[in-house]
Amino acid sequence: MEANGKDDLKIPLLQGPQDAEMRTLKFKIKDVKCASCVNSIESLVRNLSGVNSITVSPLDGQAAIIYVPKLVSANKVKETLQAAGFRVDGLQEKDISVCRFRIKGMACTSCSESVERALQMVDGVKKAVVGLALEEAKVHFDPNLTDTKKIFEAIEDAGFGAELISSGNDENKVYLKVEGVDSPEDVNFVISSLELVEGVNHVEMDLTEHKVTVSYDPDVTGPRSFIDCIQAAALKPKIYRATLYTPSRQRDMGKLREIRMYRNRFLFSCLFSVPVFIFAMVLPMLPPYGNWLNYKIHNMLTMGLFLRWILSTPVQFVVGQRFYVGSYHALRRRSANMDVLVALGTNAAYFYSIYVLIKALTSATFQGQDFFETSSMLISFILLGKYLEVVAKGKTSDALAKLTQLVPDKSYLLALDTDGNIISETEIDTQLIQRNDIIKIVPGAKIPVDGIVIKGQSYVNESMITGEARPINKSPGDKVIGGTVNDSGCLLVKATHVGSDTTLSQIVQLVEAAQLARAPVQKLADHISLFFVPIVVAVAIITWLGWLIPGVVGIYPKHWVPKAMDEFELALQFAISVLVVACPCALGLATPTAVMVASGIGASQGVLIKGGDALEKAHKVKTVVFDKTGTLTVGKPVVVSAVLFSKLSMEELCGMTIAVEASSEHPIAKAVVAHAKRLRQKLGTCIELVPDVMDFEVHPGAGVSGKVGERTVLVGNKRLMHASNVPICPEVERYISENEFLARTCVLVSIDGKVAGAFCVTDPVKPEARRVISFLHSMGISSIIVTGDNLATAAAIANEVGIDEVFAETDPVGKADKVKDIKMKGMTVAMVGDGINDSPALVAADVGMAIGAGTDVAIEAADIVLVRSSLEDVITAIDLSRKTMSRIRLNYMWALGYNILSMPIAAGVLYPFTGIRLPPWLAGACMAASSLSVVSSSLLLQFYKKPLHVGSTQ
């Protein structure tokens, strides 16, 4: 379909600078019946001030407008169309957009805070979160006021590098490479065609690289449709060819570039600093090999001093340029970071050495000690430390990287006829799978997407997603998870969730969000970092004066000053050592690296932790509140017994029950029908025909009733019998009481006003429940049941699993109130639930834990998602939280303890008593080791093991 006004359409889509001022919106207009309607709509909208162009499809009413938000709003367009009698769907302005940037050059929390402050000062930015360990920024902004280009400029203006990772809604995007598109007109045809495909949200095209990016709704369309659409859009004699294009993971590529950059800088630095070290520290101690270094070029300028100057200068100003740049931007922001300390220390050593060199050149008697080896070796050691640090930090997200690599590259797409027979089999790229596709999974292959088995039987290993070691039997009707491995048989799977909707994608998104979030415990490091560098500079100055003045005055003995040094040089070495040894990097890495590793390991073990806040609160939990149905119990009712209370045969009772209950959607009704059918088969009745039911009626909360032939049949509880005036004899009462004591529900069947029989239904307790409750008690955590079920059933379940406190017959609001009451007593509360009715309590609790098989609402409301729906993961979540917080505290001890111990030693506190002093180059090595030790400490969390494995104990 041709666009209305090609030139207008061309401008915003092809010219970048105007994109910030214009926006594209898609919506649907109902009641479009002919070309006249299209003309009317286009005329109405185009006359609005600020509307650049509008395109309307007469076939399905799909429309796309390009407009200037400052001149006209989407709501104004909608009101104009509705006033003209057209119904509009899906036209609403997106108030908040989200983009993510990779930030380069951050060294400590001072850097991350500087980036945050710079972003928050941008007009239109609503919220900005910067993750130091992840080296990313997530920015929520108003697209009407700013755009990613301005945000990029703000980051660079703050002195840091930036690289756009994603903008807008990247959840469902596909990247295509198009051949045959070589002009703006071709671009317009392709974009217009794609934008009018139902389910497409946004289209971008890069003409220089011939790449198209399409955001779409996977419920409606998919990548194969876009390829077909592009190829069909070509106007003869031109031919367009579209293929799938997979962009490289920017984070991985950026991380590799950073690692290579630090490695190359370190090696380049070593090329100069190693000879300097040899000329200064090694050869002078090996006469006669080092005698040539004492050759005097002019006056007191020796060959050794001259060579050290020549070799250290490139290290100071070429390799060390990054420290100057970082210091400049930090001081311009009125803050200070590690770059300031390094620049101060190395410059003090270098320029004092220049002073010594000039004096030696101009004097025939001057003798002084240069520090050229100090500045060059210091920079080399710092670069080595940064190189080792970025390598170690890359390993903190290993668990997450392994998850993203689980999906296979290729899959087998099947085409079936109406009888279910296979017509064709095609190998396609996994990214081209669309919802409702039929995929063939051969033995040993990975399952590409979430789906339902429609044919075949096999065992599937789900350990990489759920942590469950034992393969799970899968047969028709069972769900399978993308990324898991088919062990034995061949399966035909119908795709139900693709793209970002798959379980694996959602796990990755949750974990990435958690890694970016800042844990409350990190506030300590943030506060310290604000004052850390100024304090260190002050301590360095005090150290310098504290050694210089007493030395000049003669307070300490002359023999304390090493040969070839004077008091000024000794004091300067101590001051430089103080500047260099105190590194704020380790402090800033203490929390985020631990959170990154813990969230990745948790995800690989089936526990999704939504951020550092949840991780921190979980370790304080003292009370766990459990929902009953679907949480402590399996959530699927089963019939455990059936009895007769009349002369009616069991076969007749089952037939009547099936006839009435077959029309009910209640889970208990389905369980009764299934059991009754099995009973009939055992009794030899194979007739599947269900008699017609007349006057069928549902009695909410009580049961159902209807007429089967001439007989009136009621199936339900005691309340239904009482309401219908059906007498209940003592024998039936006794049967009901006995089963209620065992947490079972009695479904009574009345025929023509008399109780003819009953079915006993129960929701089995999960096999691991008792062991989990016992283990929680051993951890000092109490357990409570809060349920909407009756007290007798709840008490029976509590008795079976070992819980003492029960609150029954509670509605959703009552559950939340009960959680709040427990919190008022000063207890940190975790709520474990699975249903919509649990979501208020999940939000009210300090930590909400949702069972993975529960509802989307419950999972959304929770802080922690237990993917496997196993109660043992409640223990895993709490224990992992405790281990992580313990590791964070240990990291702080490493970082703070290191500075508390090293700064006095660097300042020379031990020198008068032991003669031990910390040369600046060694202080640089110690500084690098501190950051590396903190990251390595966090990496030890990768060896975390679950405290409870119920499966292995049974």
Side-chain angles (χ1 to χ4, degrees):
M1 194 198 83
E2 291 194 9
N4 235 349
K6 291 181 183 176
D7 294 335
D8 291 342
L9 190 60
K10 191 191 309 177
I11 293 171
L13 292 174
L14 298 180
Q15 296 183 10
Q18 295 190 12
D19 286 348
E21 299 173 7
M22 291 190 172
R23 293 183 60 203
T24 302
L25 275 180
K26 287 186 60 183
F27 55 97
K28 198 159 187 175
I29 306 174
K30 296 186 177 181
D31 304 321
V32 177
K33 298 172 182 175
C34 58
S36 176
C37 295
V38 171
N39 292 333
S40 299
I41 292 167
E42 291 179 347
S43 176
L44 277 168
V45 176
R46 201 181 292 112
N47 288 333
L48 292 173
S49 175
V51 173
N52 188 277
S53 70
I54 177 169
T55 306
V56 181
S57 168
L59 299 177
D60 57 5
Q62 193 82 3
I65 63 167
I66 300 172
Y67 71 107
V68 181
K70 292 180 180 179
L71 300 178
V72 66
S73 67
N75 289 333
K76 178 66 176 175
V77 175
K78 185 175 183 178
E79 289 168 4
T80 302
L81 291 171
Q82 287 177 336
F86 295 101
R87 289 183 294 161
V88 179
D89 275 351
L91 179 55
Q92 54 185 10
E93 287 184 299
K94 191 175 180 182
D95 296 327
I96 301 297
S97 291
V98 180
C99 66
R100 292 171 65 187
F101 282 90
R102 175 173 166 76
I103 311 296
K104 304 172 187 175
M106 292 194 300
C108 57
T109 50
S110 175
C111 298
S112 60
E113 286 188 337
S114 297
V115 176
E116 272 192 17
R117 284 197 297 270
L119 289 171
Q120 286 165 354
M121 289 174 67
V122 176
D123 185 32
V125 170
K126 304 296 182 183
K127 181 184 177 184
V129 180
V130 179
L132 176 62
L134 208 58
E135 295 179 334
E136 283 187 14
K138 188 174 183 180
V139 186
H140 299 252
F141 65 97
D142 185 345
N144 298 319
L145 300 177
T146 190
D147 58 12
T148 54
K149 185 181 178 184
K150 291 179 182 175
I151 294 169
F152 177 86
E153 290 170 353
I155 296 170
E156 294 219 314
D157 192 51
F160 299 91
E163 185 179 315
L164 184 65
I165 298 174
S166 64
S167 61
N169 182 9
D170 275 0
E171 289 186 356
N172 287 294
K173 269 192 178 181
V174 66
Y175 302 88
L176 302 172
K177 196 155 191 171
V178 184
E179 296 176 14
V181 176
D182 49 23
S183 69
E185 287 73 21
D186 291 333
V187 171
N188 282 335
F189 283 128
V190 170
I191 291 177
S192 299
S193 300
L194 287 172
E195 284 184 335
L196 291 172
V197 174
E198 188 176 5
V200 171
N201 299 323
H202 185 62
V203 182
E204 292 177 5
M205 185 162 185
D206 185 343
L207 180 59
T208 57
E209 295 190 13
H210 299 277
K211 292 172 185 173
V212 179
T213 305
V214 185
S215 301
Y216 65 98
D217 181 353
D219 288 334
V220 180
T221 187
R224 292 204 310 279
S225 301
F226 308 147
I227 291 174
D228 294 341
C229 175
I230 290 171
Q231 293 177 170
L235 296 176
K236 293 181 179 180
K238 286 202 170 186
I239 298 174
Y240 299 156
R241 292 189 182 89
T243 54
L244 198 66
Y245 161 69
T246 306
S248 57
R249 280 181 60 85
Q250 292 184 8
R251 182 191 297 168
D252 294 342
M253 295 299 293
K255 183 64 68 178
L256 289 173
R257 282 197 299 268
E258 186 179 23
I259 290 172
R260 280 197 297 267
M261 181 264 291
Y262 276 114
R263 182 196 62 195
N264 294 340
R265 284 185 179 179
F266 168 67
L267 293 176
F268 181 73
S269 178
C270 285
L271 187 66
F272 296 95
S273 58
V274 169
V276 171
F277 175 75
I278 292 171
F279 294 157
M281 314 289 284
V282 179
L283 288 180
M285 301 178 68
L286 299 172
Y289 304 106
N291 290 347
W292 63 276
L293 293 170
N294 295 323
Y295 172 75
K296 294 179 181 177
I297 299 173
H298 182 72
N299 285 337
M300 298 301 290
L301 177 62
T302 63
M303 179 64 72
L305 178 58
F306 177 75
L307 288 174
R308 290 194 293 274
W309 168 57
I310 292 296
L311 290 168
S312 63
T313 299
V315 179
Q316 183 69 35
F317 296 108
V318 179
V319 181
Q321 180 187 9
R322 65 176 298 274
F323 300 113
Y324 289 102
V325 174
S327 299
Y328 165 73
H329 287 294
L331 294 173
R332 200 184 70 170
R333 299 189 306 267
R334 297 181 182 178
S335 65
N337 58 11
M338 186 199 76
D339 291 336
V340 174
L341 295 179
V342 174
L344 280 173
T346 56
N347 277 317
Y350 181 83
F351 285 107
Y352 176 74
S353 301
I354 292 291
Y355 162 76
V356 170
L357 184 141
I358 294 171
K359 288 284 287 183
L361 182 65
T362 57
S363 171
T365 57
F366 175 78
Q367 287 187 343
Q369 173 70 39
D370 67 279
F371 294 139
F372 283 125
E373 82 283 352
T374 293
S375 65
S376 59
M377 289 178 63
L378 187 54
I379 289 172
S380 296
F381 272 112
I382 290 168
L383 289 174
L384 174 61
K386 290 300 292 181
Y387 168 68
L388 295 174
E389 182 186 314
V390 295
V391 170
K393 279 165 65 179
K395 294 183 182 295
T396 59
S397 55
D398 274 357
L400 187 59
K402 288 175 184 175
L403 283 176
T404 60
Q405 295 165 5
L406 289 176
V407 176
D409 295 327
K410 299 290 183 180
S411 303
Y412 294 104
L413 176 67
L414 302 182
L416 306 181
D417 61 18
T418 53
D419 297 325
N421 300 313
I422 298 174
I423 302 172
S424 65
E425 180 179 314
T426 312
E427 188 178 35
I428 64 168
D429 194 292
T430 296
Q431 292 186 54
L432 293 176
I433 296 176
Q434 298 181 187
R435 191 159 292 181
N436 297 323
D437 281 348
I438 307 300
I439 309 299
K440 177 183 176 183
I441 316 294
V442 297
K446 291 179 180 177
I447 297 171
V449 294
D450 293 1
I452 295 176
V453 177
I454 61 170
K455 190 176 182 181
Q457 187 159 350
S458 178
Y459 282 88
V460 174
N461 186 340
E462 298 182 344
S463 59
M464 61 284 294
I465 301 291
T466 66
E468 176 58 61
R470 292 172 299 180
I472 309 298
N473 183 38
K474 301 292 182 180
S475 54
D478 290 337
K479 294 179 181 178
V480 290
I481 303 172
T484 56
V485 180
N486 179 25
D487 273 0
S488 49
C490 183
L491 296 175
L492 300 190
V493 174
K494 182 179 181 181
T496 57
H497 296 81
V498 297
S500 65
D501 290 337
T502 63
T503 300
L504 186 60
S505 295
Q506 290 177 349
I507 288 173
V508 171
Q509 290 166 25
L510 279 172
V511 175
E512 285 183 334
Q515 290 178 347
L516 194 60
R518 182 171 291 161
V521 71
Q522 195 174 338
K523 290 179 181 176
L524 172 64
D526 295 343
H527 287 312
I528 293 174
S529 69
L530 291 173
F531 312 103
F532 190 85
V533 174
I535 289 172
V536 170
V537 173
V539 171
I541 294 171
I542 293 168
T543 300
W544 178 61
L545 294 174
W547 279 98
L548 177 62
I549 295 171
V552 172
V553 175
I555 294 177
Y556 59 76
K558 292 291 182 183
H559 70 266
W560 283 12
V561 182
K563 291 179 181 178
M565 268 196 193
D566 59 21
E567 292 82 0
F568 176 84
E569 292 164 350
L570 180 66
L572 184 63
Q573 273 216 352
F574 283 128
I576 293 171
S577 294
V578 169
L579 281 174
V580 173
V581 82
C583 173
C585 300
L587 201 61
L589 292 170
T591 298
T593 53
V595 170
M596 280 184 71
V597 177
S599 54
I601 291 299
S604 67
Q605 305 227 12
V607 177
L608 298 184
I609 302 167
K610 297 183 182 178
D613 192 18
L615 194 66
E616 184 171 343
K617 284 180 180 177
H619 90 284
K620 301 176 184 176
V621 168
K622 290 297 178 185
T623 302
V624 178
V625 177
F626 290 95
D627 172 48
K628 182 183 75 69
T629 306
T631 303
L632 287 172
T633 65
V634 174
K636 293 181 179 178
V638 293
V639 176
V640 291
S641 69
V643 295
L644 290 169
F645 295 112
S646 68
K647 293 180 180 180
L648 202 70
S649 69
M650 181 61 74
E651 204 172 344
E652 286 181 287
L653 178 72
C654 289
M656 296 285 183
T657 304
I658 292 169
V660 178
E661 287 279 61
S663 301
S664 174
E665 290 297 317
H666 197 281
I668 291 179
K670 290 180 178 179
V672 169
V673 169
H675 185 78
K677 284 181 178 179
R678 284 195 298 272
L679 270 180
R680 288 180 73 187
Q681 286 179 350
K682 283 182 182 179
L683 294 170
T685 304
C686 297
I687 300 171
E688 288 294 327
L689 187 64
V690 177
D692 290 333
V693 179
M694 304 295 292
D695 301 331
F696 177 79
E697 186 178 355
V698 176
H699 305 270
V704 294
S705 63
K707 292 197 75 172
V708 181
E710 297 298 321
R711 294 184 164 187
T712 301
V713 181
L714 283 74
V715 184
N717 56 21
K718 276 200 304 183
R719 191 159 47 132
L720 178 63
M721 301 301 149
H722 289 313
S724 304
N725 297 318
V726 175
I728 298 177
C729 65
E731 182 187 3
V732 176
E733 285 281 10
R734 187 166 58 252
Y735 178 80
I736 293 171
S737 301
E738 288 172 355
N739 281 287
E740 282 186 349
F741 180 76
L742 297 171
R744 295 171 179 173
T745 300
C746 288
V747 178
L748 305 177
V749 182
S750 164
I751 299 175
D752 292 333
K754 293 181 180 180
V755 177
F759 293 88
C760 182
V761 183
T762 187
D763 185 2
V765 172
K766 288 183 177 177
E768 73 272 16
R770 186 170 186 85
R771 181 84 191 278
V772 167
I773 300 302
S774 175
F775 201 96
L776 284 172
H777 288 168
S778 70
M779 294 171 70
I781 299 172
S782 60
S783 303
I784 297 172
I785 289 180
V786 177
T787 178
D789 212 337
N790 65 73
L791 181 59
T793 303
I797 294 291
N799 183 59
E800 187 175 347
V801 300
I803 293 178
D804 298 326
E805 200 167 358
V806 178
F807 297 95
E809 300 175 12
T810 310
D811 61 14
V813 176
K815 288 184 180 182
D817 290 340
K818 183 53 63 179
V819 168
K820 291 173 185 175
D821 290 344
I822 300 169
K823 286 173 65 177
M824 290 292 287
K825 297 175 183 176
M827 307 290 282
T828 303
V829 182
M831 171 71 195
V832 186
D834 71 318
I836 292 173
N837 62 332
D838 298 321
S839 54
L842 290 170
V843 173
D846 294 294
V847 182
M849 297 187 187
I851 296 293
T855 64
D856 292 340
V857 176
I859 292 171
E860 188 68 29
D863 302 300
I864 297 174
V865 180
L866 312 178
V867 177
R868 292 193 306 137
S869 301
S870 173
L871 288 175
E872 69 184 69
D873 288 338
V874 173
I875 292 170
T876 302
I878 296 172
D879 184 68
L880 179 60
S881 169
R882 290 182 176 183
K883 293 285 195 307
T884 305
M885 294 308 299
S886 175
R887 183 62 54 182
I888 289 171
R889 285 192 286 266
L890 182 62
N891 287 352
Y892 277 135
M893 287 174 62
W894 271 111
L896 290 172
Y898 163 84
N899 283 305
I900 290 168
L901 290 174
S902 62
M903 283 179 65
I905 295 172
V909 170
L910 298 180
Y911 185 63
F913 312 105
T914 62
I916 295 174
R917 61 190 175 92
L918 201 63
W921 62 269
L922 186 57
C926 292
M927 181 198 76
S930 69
S931 295
L932 194 60
S933 66
V934 165
V935 177
S936 300
S937 172
S938 295
L939 283 172
L940 290 175
L941 281 169
Q942 288 188 327
F943 300 102
Y944 173 81
K945 300 294 181 186
K946 289 185 176 185
L948 179 65
H949 289 274
V950 174
S952 62
T953 62
Q954 290 177 336

